[in-house]
């Protein structure tokens, strides 16, 4: 797949729309193993990004990532702010001045985002966080594909984990068999990429 | 929760209401005039206003603990005073009680927060 | 000090002003609207408003730490983020700095308050 | 010495007056190794006790201790509230219905107060607290005497200690060679007893 600025713009716009649409559901997940604000937090960033782009659409490919990063870092208010914010910022850095990404370059960028979350969160896969959605998504992308089935399986597996990072970690075993809100919003992020992109080696 | 400041306990209460809206949480902060300090009477009130009979109690500094202990001795309720880090201990306990965790689980988590 | 609640940091500040009136203490609490949460911008402000170049930074919960780290990375100041119990750590540090204690002394005291 | 209700009333009245008079000095000591409120805290209890007794003087010997206990427990607001409050309460309990105390009974009562502070503060002598004034005072009283020299020596020795209880304990070695405010107010407590009492086996 060739990733252009338009495709990326569409990807992040779809992500923002999905977040706003699923706001209640995301907060509901967070109500169970967190403080109930994940949907509200994410929707705040999403709405600000949409508003910005309605006024001034992104010009360069890296603007998409950079502007999303800024909205998440400034506007969100919960852990997901610095986490997604850092991910998007690292993606912007990986993209640099490029105006088009090959599939390999997309993988590099998404991996940079993944590493950004790890660094910011001092976390890793297996801890019932958004990382547990990002890791299998990266694996798929390496094969120039990304399927809903992969995302759904990843979320189901994440449910079974015990949280050891973030607020949910205070709950210990009680976090098992609950949906991690950040994993659920990351699923939306990659769903948006599926919808915006054209996978299958073309 | 017993603190030297009315603002500290109000803030912690706001924070944990988000994670534990179904746990009975009461608090006393500051002197009767609202200054920095603790007051035996408001601690007693916080104990009696709580809807539970068995309470976990948390405090910020040693003198708050003394008022807490005096009030606990005079109360009919079963009160466990925890020498754990204040905000972190309260947060952890509230979150676990909201999930109906066993007392033993809560206590073993709190043991890792002992700093006093 | 970075907290999820504006009231918590206000209260802690009131508490430690009594023991450390000569230490430069700045804080950020809550979101920009005053709700429960943290805000990157107010954390940056608290860092820059502090009159010192070398800072000890404290936080209540993990997400506050993330904003603190981002702001620290972007600041010219030397910022040590301490994974210690929040209120107890801030109190101890402020009291020791007020007495012009050595950094090594402060750090060794704080090591006993590590809970995060 | 025979301790009557009148002597005890005089003792506690003198104590309250001394506290009010030394309020600034006590707070100044506390400013150095604490939070600067010990004088204000103690004077609050003292003033309330004086006001009470101006309206209704104590009737029974134990009333003196009990009423002082109540004012300290309710009115003081710092560690010294529950500590002196518990001491006075334990003294009241030790006195019981007696209307006169022999020297031995006085010693028993003061020891009960000392034990009350230890229990409430989970503390002991040598920790740079008020206990380091109470212990030598008890020793003197056992010999039916109590001298200013004993109190002064006790305070000087307390200065040299490192605080391991109360706020000053946060300062570690920095608390050495400073006056413990609670020891200073306890010195006033026993000075008041010297002034009210008649020592020397009579
Ligand atoms: N240290 C971390 N590393 C990776 N992800 C984390 C970490 N801490 C929290 N998260 C993610 O953030 C989500 C919570 O986000 P949100 O509710 O917006 O923040 P908060 O917990 O501050 O209210 C969690 O569901 C989890 O996926
Ligand atoms: N655990 C304790 N045991 C005995 N005495 C104590 C203890 N903690 C504090 N004190 C005494 O109380 C004094 C401080 O009283 P005060 O300033 O009124 O209370 P606060 O420290 O709460 O402001 C100290 O100087 C010390 O003598
Ligand atoms: Mg949340
Ligand atoms: Mg939150
Ligand atoms: Mg004091
Ligand atoms: Mg005080």
């Amino acid at each position: 797949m060739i990733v252009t600025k338009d495709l990326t713009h569409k990807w992040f716009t779809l992500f923002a729309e999905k977040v706003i649409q699923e706001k209640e559901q995301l907060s509901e997940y967070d109500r169970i193993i967190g403080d109930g604000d994940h949907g509200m937090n994410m929707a705040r960033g999403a709405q600000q990004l949409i508003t910005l782009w309605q006024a001034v659409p992104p010009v360069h490919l890296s603007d998409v990532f950079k502007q999303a990063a800024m909205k998440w870092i400034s506007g969100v208010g919960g852990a997901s702010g610095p986490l997604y914010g850092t991910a998007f910022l690292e993606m912007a850095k990986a993209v640099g001045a490029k105006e088009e990404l090959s599939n390999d370059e997309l993988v590099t960028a998404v991996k940079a985002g993944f590493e950004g979350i790890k660094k910011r969160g001092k976390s890793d896969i297996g801890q019932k966080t958004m990382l547990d959605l990002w890791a299998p998504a990266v694996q798929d992308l390496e094969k120039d594909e990304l399927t809903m089935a992969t995302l759904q399986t990843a979320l189901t597996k994440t449910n079974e984990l015990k949280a050891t990072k973030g607020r949910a970690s205070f709950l210990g075993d009680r976090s098992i068999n609950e949906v991690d809100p950040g994993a659920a919003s990351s699923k939306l992020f990659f769903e948006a990429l599926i919808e915006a992109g054209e996978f299958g080696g073309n | 929760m017993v603190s030297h400041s009315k603002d500290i306990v109000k803030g912690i209460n706001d924070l944990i209401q988000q994670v534990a809206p179904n746990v009975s949480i009461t608090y006393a902060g500051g002197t009767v005039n609202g200054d920095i300090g603790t007051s035996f009477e408001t601690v007693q009130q916080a104990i009696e206003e709580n809807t539970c009979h068995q309470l976990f109690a948390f405090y910020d500094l040693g003198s708050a603990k003394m008022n807490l202990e005096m009030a606990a001795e005079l109360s009919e309720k079963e009160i466990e005073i925890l020498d754990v880090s204040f905000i972190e201990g309260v947060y952890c306990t509230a979150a676990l009680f909201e999930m109906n965790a066993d007392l033993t689980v809560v206590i073993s988590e709190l043991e890792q927060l002992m700093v006093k």
Side-chain angles (χ1 to χ4, degrees), chain A, chain B:
Chain A
M1 181 171 63
I2 299 300
V3 177
T4 60
K5 185 262 291 174
D6 284 345
L7 189 152
T8 313
H9 183 194
K10 190 170 163 201
W11 171 15
F12 274 73
T13 306
L14 282 170
F15 171 49
E17 287 168 0
K18 281 173 188 291
V19 159
I20 292 166
Q21 203 175 316
E22 298 295 317
K23 179 176 150 174
E24 275 315 314
Q25 182 63 66
L26 293 174
S27 285
E28 186 51 39
Y29 293 143
D30 199 27
R31 218 159 278 136
I32 299 170
I33 60 169
D35 58 347
D37 61 3
H38 187 61
M40 212 177 66
N41 289 343
M42 294 290 289
R44 206 152 35 212
Q47 188 53 59
Q48 288 181 16
L49 190 63
I50 288 175
T51 306
L52 169 69
W53 285 345
Q54 274 163 353
V56 193
V59 178
H60 302 291
L61 175 48
S62 71
D63 288 348
V64 178
F65 298 106
K66 237 184 267 169
Q67 291 168 353
M70 288 310 138
K71 294 306 179 195
W72 252 261
I73 289 171
S74 297
V76 168
S80 49
L83 289 167
Y84 278 102
T86 303
F88 300 158
L89 208 58
E90 294 300 324
M91 291 168 96
K93 282 195 222 161
V95 165
K98 295 189 201 91
E99 293 296 354
E100 224 177 70
L101 304 178
S102 68
N103 191 71
D104 280 359
E105 288 167 335
L106 171 66
V107 170
T108 303
V110 179
K111 268 189 183 162
F114 175 76
E115 294 299 327
I117 298 173
K118 276 173 68 168
K119 181 194 75 170
R120 182 63 63 218
K122 312 240 184 312
S123 44
D124 210 335
I125 52 172
Q127 298 184 310
K128 197 183 183 93
T129 71
M130 41 181 80
L131 289 172
D132 295 306
L133 256 282
W134 283 64
V138 169
Q139 277 182 2
D140 251 18
L141 288 171
E142 281 173 338
K143 294 175 278 176
D144 197 1
E145 62 174 39
L146 184 61
T147 67
M148 283 297 292
T150 297
L151 301 179
Q152 189 50 58
T153 307
L155 191 64
T156 307
K157 281 194 186 157
T158 307
N159 297 349
E160 291 158 15
L161 296 171
K162 169 173 156 175
T164 57
K165 281 284 163 181
R167 285 169 187 275
S169 66
F170 283 100
L171 301 177
D173 288 341
R174 301 266 148 177
S175 64
I176 297 171
N177 290 326
E178 306 291 350
V179 182
D180 176 63
S185 62
S186 291
K187 180 164 174 279
L188 301 179
F189 180 64
F190 290 108
E191 277 177 27
L193 175 56
I194 294 176
E195 290 176 31
E198 289 150 42
F199 289 95
N202 45 340
Chain B
M1 305 189 281
V2 181
S3 167
H4 276 69
S5 153
K6 61 182 187 327
D7 296 310
I8 291 177
V9 272
K10 179 192 173 296
I12 303 178
N13 189 56
D14 290 345
L15 183 66
I16 58 180
Q17 282 305 328
Q18 292 192 327
V19 296
N22 301 303
V23 178
S24 180
I25 297 158
T26 52
Y27 55 92
T31 66
V32 190
N33 318 326
D35 295 333
I36 295 291
T38 57
S39 136
F40 173 70
E41 274 81 9
T42 60
V43 175
Q44 265 193 326
Q45 248 175 41
I47 289 174
E48 299 314 322
E49 276 168 10
N50 198 293
T51 59
C52 298
H53 180 75
Q54 205 180 3
L55 304 180
F56 273 24
F58 301 84
Y59 63 92
D60 54 3
L61 297 173
S63 47
K65 183 184 183 182
M66 293 181 204
N67 273 325
L68 196 45
E69 278 180 336
M70 271 203 302
E73 284 166 19
L74 292 172
S75 169
E76 311 256 281
K77 299 191 175 190
E78 276 174 64
I79 298 164
E80 183 84 39
I81 300 175
L82 294 138
D83 298 325
V84 297
S85 74
F86 187 38
I87 296 189
E88 297 82 357
V90 165
Y91 184 93
C92 169
T93 305
L96 284 168
F97 279 153
E98 180 74 19
M99 297 290 272
N100 300 313
D102 285 344
L103 272 190
T104 54
V105 171
V106 179
I107 289 169
S108 90
E109 289 296 323
L110 287 176
E111 266 158 17
Q112 291 157 40
L113 297 178
M114 299 278 266
V115 292
K116 284 165 177 168

